Amino acid sequence: MKKTFLIKGLALLLAMGAMPALAAQGTVLRNEKLYSQPSATSKVTATAAKGASVTILAKRGGWLQVKSGSSSGWIRLLSVRAGAGGLGGAGLGDVVGAATTRSDPSRVVAVAGLRGLDDEDLKQAKFDGAELARMDAWDASAAQARSFAARGGLAAANIAALPEPRPAQQPSTWEAN
Amino acid sequence: MKTRAMQIKALVLAVALGLSGGASAIDFGKLLEERLNQELNKNKQPPAEQTAPPAAQSAAASPPPENQKIDARQLGFALFGDYSPEEEARIGRQISGNLLGAVPLVPDDKLQNYVNLVGNWVAAQSGRSDVKWRFGVLDTEDINAFAAPGGYVFITKGLYRRLGNEAQLAGVLGHEIAHVTKKHHLKVLKQSSLIGALGQAASKKAKDSDQVVQNLIGNGAEIMARGLDKNAEFEADRVGIVFAARAGYEPWGLPDVLQDLAGLPAKDARTGLLFKTHPHPADRLAALGEAVDGRLDAVQGKTLADRFYRIK
């Protein structure tokens, strides 16, 4: 499970503040501010334009510490995409991806017959009642889930639903499917 | 509303009683399709009171041909508002059983139990108590997650392996739970069942099938292969991140996973289906960023990396 270690290593690097040599690349997804601390109440140190390349140095909660040109600071996690694929669409390989897939165990498994799921696998699938019965048996009760949450120190929080970003727009067009 | 429902019932009756063959059936199918589209879009546009198309009556009056079998219940699913919780559960069972026919569950009861506890806790924040939630880890290196109506949620072993803490699992499950609470698959089925029923009405090769649900969902787990509208995916991200946060997790679990997926190389056999059926992770991050902005800045949640169950 070399890959798992690589991922854990990367996650750790991101979490703890990676060494610059191993830092991941990213692209800014919208015009944003860079802050001196991972908090929107801290001082704004610079701005980053949509499409700008950044080097991701560290991660803390919903914030990434990035270097963009000569400036650096903390930017919202959701305002950056990791990887060198640019703004979206056709994401090409990148530092993180190459590092994590170098010794891809699924490639080995694929030879043994296990591979990715494709359309045909799903379309040709025949109902498996025995597996479904297994799944039904795992059902956890609400009480069990509550006590599991309590053991982890999780408490239900009152958080408002997020608004739709473009309220004027029509909802999903199922006709397009 | 009552008169509308009665008009529609008359239409269904017209179809159920049968259509005269050939061109007239196709014309009628077209007419019906338009009428049904109005019905489906009634939430989008203010419902202008419609009078039943005159052809409906004439079709209803025509004699039923012998070998024309239209499943009235299937049409009923499509036409009359929401599916009942029982119908939803039946549909979900069929789809899930089919999916499990393509790929079985990981034979690790501790793993499955853990995922069910996290999933049920997150689902408890969703406000839908009329479904029985069940979670399963699928034994494939493919990187993906699925949901089916009626509260069935799946994550592949390939995706699970990439997770680093419980908040990330909660984020992924939250996204799938949102597909169920928002009834995204049912909306797709509603649309396709119309097409299917109309297809049957228009062609004389209607199959003699008593499997209403199987007719509705198509072959195998086809709906999983087709995927959902991209706006449904954006919505599930938006709703799912809040479910996870309401469960006490830090909200950044799902964004973490999207960041990881955004970094995967484009040509990876394990993500073929995921990328085919979802918007690019970068687009999902951007859309979620617009919705979240600073709204979750004050949320303090847990990641619970220590408790996260690792697959051997």
Side-chain angles (χ1 to χ4, degrees):
Chain A
M1 290 299 105
K2 209 183 223 171
K3 189 196 75 173
T4 316
F5 286 125
L6 277 166
I7 295 165
K8 276 182 203 156
L10 270 164
L12 207 65
L13 284 171
L14 279 171
M16 303 187 75
M19 293 184 296
L22 285 170
Q25 293 304 300
T27 305
V28 178
L29 295 169
R30 57 192 190 129
N31 296 330
E32 259 293 13
K33 299 185 183 85
L34 299 187
Y35 297 89
S36 61
Q37 301 292 322
S39 159
T41 56
S42 69
K43 192 167 149 264
V44 175
T45 57
T47 56
K50 182 177 175 174
S53 295
V54 294
T55 305
I56 301 168
L57 305 171
K59 176 183 182 295
R60 195 178 301 166
W63 296 86
L64 293 174
Q65 189 180 33
V66 297
K67 198 172 175 303
S68 173
S70 58
S71 45
S72 65
W74 292 85
I75 189 169
R76 291 186 189 282
L77 171 68
L78 285 168
S79 298
V80 173
R81 69 157 288 188
L87 276 173
L92 299 169
D94 63 80
V95 184
V96 179
T100 52
T101 51
R102 197 162 290 141
S103 65
D104 183 343
S106 76
R107 299 268 153 76
V108 182
V109 180
V111 180
L114 254 179
R115 58 195 163 80
L117 284 170
D118 67 25
D119 310 23
E120 283 309 307
D121 298 331
L122 294 175
K123 284 177 196 162
Q124 302 307 322
K126 296 278 179 287
F127 189 86
D128 188 332
E131 282 295 281
L132 190 65
R134 280 184 71 205
M135 188 166 175
D136 284 344
W138 287 324
D139 153 61
S141 73
Q144 286 173 319
R146 268 198 307 277
S147 93
F148 170 80
R151 285 199 301 278
L154 297 168
N158 193 3
I159 293 162
L162 296 168
E164 241 185 288
R166 294 148 294 176
Q169 188 169 318
Q170 286 273 323
S172 310
T173 56
W174 305 107
E175 293 79 6
N177 280 16
Chain B
M1 216 53 219
K2 199 171 182 183
T3 51
R4 278 176 69 76
M6 283 170 70
Q7 281 166 14
I8 297 159
K9 272 179 193 154
L11 269 168
V12 174
L13 203 64
V15 177
L17 286 174
L19 307 161
S20 44
S24 70
I26 290 161
D27 289 347
F28 178 73
K30 217 167 218 171
L31 202 66
L32 184 59
E33 190 178 4
E34 280 167 19
R35 182 68 188 82
L36 295 178
N37 274 327
Q38 286 167 1
E39 187 61 26
L40 277 178
N41 292 329
K42 72 182 175 188
N43 293 334
K44 294 180 189 169
Q45 294 146 8
E49 207 56 44
Q50 312 277 344
T51 51
Q57 276 104 33
S58 63
S62 67
E66 295 96 358
N67 58 358
Q68 185 69 61
K69 284 193 165 67
I70 301 297
D71 200 318
R73 290 175 65 195
Q74 184 169 322
L75 263 178
F77 273 140
L79 286 170
F80 301 115
D82 277 349
Y83 296 84
S84 72
E86 293 73 33
E87 285 164 347
E88 186 179 342
R90 255 175 90 208
I91 294 165
R93 270 187 68 80
Q94 185 71 40
I95 295 174
S96 301
N98 289 352
L99 177 63
L100 289 169
V103 48
L105 295 157
V106 177
D108 179 346
D109 285 354
K110 277 188 180 162
L111 166 71
Q112 303 288 0
N113 183 52
Y114 171 73
V115 172
N116 272 278
L117 287 168
V118 175
N120 269 281
W121 174 242
V122 175
Q125 323 303 322
S126 74
R128 262 203 90 176
S129 52
D130 62 334
V131 298
K132 191 176 170 199
W133 298 93
R134 298 169 191 85
F135 300 82
V137 184
L138 297 171
D139 201 356
T140 169
E141 294 300 337
D142 204 76
I143 296 170
N144 215 332
F146 305 94
Y152 289 91
V153 172
F154 302 88
I155 177 172
T156 65
K157 189 168 74 182
L159 176 54
Y160 189 94
R161 271 191 209 287
R162 304 190 70 82
L163 306 179
N165 62 48
E166 198 170 298
Q168 293 175 2
L169 176 62
V172 171
L173 298 180
H175 171 99
E176 299 304 328
I177 290 165
H179 279 316
V180 177
T181 62
K182 292 289 172 183
K183 303 187 178 182
H184 287 150
H185 295 91
L186 292 177
K187 285 171 186 166
V188 170
L189 289 176
K190 211 162 165 175
Q191 189 77 14
S192 67
S193 71
L194 291 182
I195 293 161
L198 288 166
Q200 286 188 352
S203 88
K204 299 212 74 179
K205 291 174 188 163
K207 267 191 296 180
D208 183 9
S209 170
D210 49 16
Q211 278 245 46
V212 179
V213 173
Q214 187 60 64
N215 283 356
L216 180 69
I217 68 170
N219 296 326
E222 196 177 349
I223 189 165
M224 304 300 190
R226 281 209 314 268
L228 298 164
D229 184 276
K230 70 175 164 53
N231 288 325
E233 297 299 342
F234 292 138
E235 184 178 37
D237 285 342
R238 219 160 53 226
V239 173
I241 196 178
V242 170
F243 287 168
R246 283 178 184 164
Y249 295 102
E250 72 147 40
W252 314 112
L254 182 61
D256 282 351
V257 175
L258 293 174
Q259 290 289 9
D260 175 54
L261 297 178
L264 284 172
K267 301 254 181 243
D268 188 322
R270 302 167 303 162
T271 50
L273 186 64
L274 176 77
F275 285 3
K276 196 175 149 189
T277 52
H278 290 73
H280 192 282
D283 297 343
R284 293 172 64 184
L285 286 165
L288 198 51
E290 291 292 331
V292 171
D293 198 33
R295 289 178 183 88
L296 301 176
D297 280 2
V299 175
Q300 300 288 324
K302 293 190 179 299
T303 53
L304 296 181
D306 292 346
R307 187 163 83 168
F308 183 66
Y309 184 93
R310 315 259 171 195
I311 299 182
K312 278 122 215 145

